[in-house]
Structure formats: C-alpha cells, structure tokens
Amino acid sequence: MYKHKNPYIIDFSNVKYYMEIHEIIKEALDFPDYYGKNWDAFWDCLTDMVGRQTNIEIYGFDTLQQKFSEDANLFIEIIKEFKHYRNDKYAHEITIRIIDGNTEQII
C-alpha cells in the first residue's frame, strides 16, 4: 500500500471506459485493494499520502477530457484541493504536473 514512487505517473492516454479511470488511478498511486473506485474514495486515499514528498505526473489528460469531461473536471478539482490541503500546509511537498504532448501545466 502506498509504495513510494518518484514520480507517480498517471496515464489516461488509453482510457476507454469509466471504470478504467479508477483502475489507472489505483495502479498509478498504489492505492490499497479496498479503494472504492469513486471520487470520494479517491480523495480519501489521496489524503492518506499527505506528509511525504509526492510528485505526480499526469499524461493523457486531454483524452480523459474528450471522453469523460465531467470526470476529468472532478479529477482536477480533487487534485487541486489535494495540492492546497489544509491551507497549503503540505504544498511544498506536493508537485503535480499535467503533460500532454509538448504542453506542460503545473498545478
């Protein structure tokens, strides 16, 4: 559970079905088997990672937006909230980058 990776790489490039979104997240972030595969569970498991250096790179986000725009928006909202968790108390420990082609966005 929560094997430290540097960086954690979430790649949505080949996502086709809704449940694949959460399978990709679970595998990339090494979430436990009890991960509920929904946005509330994503938040819960993500915040369990607080307190240690966490570097996340997100690839294929454009694909996620095209196929599942509402879920892409929820994903980004949660990721941003995680970055600014507890009034930025841990912001210096969390780096989140979205990389699509030649474009890179740091959250």
Side-chain angles (χ1 to χ4, degrees):
M1 179 166 105
Y2 302 113
K3 177 182 174 188
H4 188 267
K5 300 177 186 177
N6 191 18
Y8 291 93
I9 296 174
I10 303 172
D11 188 351
F12 294 114
S13 298
N14 295 314
V15 69
K16 293 180 181 95
Y17 307 103
Y18 171 77
M19 287 311 292
E20 282 181 308
I21 297 169
H22 290 283
E23 286 295 327
I24 290 166
I25 290 169
K26 179 184 182 294
E27 184 176 317
L29 298 178
D30 199 37
F31 283 172
D33 289 338
Y34 60 80
Y35 172 58
K37 298 179 185 171
N38 62 61
W39 296 118
D40 289 331
F42 176 56
W43 172 252
D44 291 343
C45 287
L46 199 58
T47 56
D48 284 347
M49 299 170 73
V50 167
R52 63 180 171 171
Q53 188 65 38
T54 304
N55 301 309
I56 300 174
E57 293 181 2
I58 302 160
Y59 295 87
F61 185 71
D62 55 341
T63 301
L64 185 64
Q65 282 182 311
Q66 289 171 2
K67 294 183 178 183
F68 306 98
S69 62
E70 186 175 322
D71 292 292
N73 292 335
L74 285 169
F75 174 79
I76 287 299
E77 276 183 40
I78 294 167
I79 285 288
K80 284 181 180 179
E81 191 171 338
F82 172 62
K83 171 70 177 178
H84 301 290
Y85 187 65
R86 295 204 174 161
N87 295 319
D88 289 333
K89 182 176 180 179
Y90 303 99
H92 66 284
E93 299 174 351
I94 301 168
T95 304
I96 301 168
R97 297 175 11 185
I98 299 174
I99 303 164
D100 279 317
N102 295 327
T103 305
E104 181 176 332
Q105 175 186 357
I106 298 175
I107 294 176

